[in-house]
Amino acid sequence: HVQLVESGGGLVQAGGSLRLSCAASGDTICISAMGWYRQAPGKQRELVATIATGGMTNYGDSVKGRFTISRDDAKITVYLQMNSLKPEDTAVYYCSAVASGWKYWGQGTQVTASS
């Protein structure tokens, strides 16, 4: 099993920046990819960004050019740098990890970009 703990959410004005962190623990040696998803009220959970063990990244269309995913292998932590935040970025952001064919989720952290 893998446990994920997110931090770094909060309230920011539109145009501002935030950085989310997600620390993994447990069977981390089995992790093949980590990423971020988000869910706004009344909407389905959607992809924000993922990063695979080999470093390949993938971004949702709505965040390309504004958000950057990175990781620190020594700390088993993944980061999401969010710049030029828009009100439509407001959502609960969830960290995910894929390990041994299972997908694990963090508890979520609220990000609110006010207009």
Side-chain angles (χ1 to χ4, degrees), residues 70-81:
S70 62
R71 67 174 192 213
D72 183 328
D73 290 337
K75 296 181 179 179
I76 319 175
T77 298
V78 65
Y79 304 96
L80 184 69
Q81 178 66 43

Side-chain angles (χ1 to χ4, degrees), residues 18 57 73 103-104 112:
L18 281 175
T57 58
D73 290 337
K103 197 162 194 174
Y104 297 89
T112 302

Side-chain angles (χ1 to χ4, degrees), residues 36-110:
W36 293 92
Y37 291 75
R38 68 186 183 187
Q39 188 166 18
K43 294 188 177 182
Q44 290 188 329
R45 192 170 297 189
E46 64 174 359
L47 167 72
V48 177
T50 60
I51 184 165
T53 304
M56 183 175 295
T57 58
N58 183 42
Y59 293 91
D61 289 341
S62 61
V63 306
K64 285 179 181 176
R66 300 187 297 123
F67 291 10
T68 303
I69 190 169
S70 62
R71 67 174 192 213
D72 183 328
D73 290 337
K75 296 181 179 179
I76 319 175
T77 298
V78 65
Y79 304 96
L80 184 69
Q81 178 66 43
M82 305 184 291
N83 298 330
S84 302
L85 281 159
K86 304 175 182 180
E88 51 263 43
D89 294 318
T90 296
V92 177
Y93 283 68
Y94 296 92
C95 179
S96 72
V98 176
S100 301
W102 294 90
K103 197 162 194 174
Y104 297 89
W105 297 96
Q107 79 285 358
T109 185
Q110 177 70 45

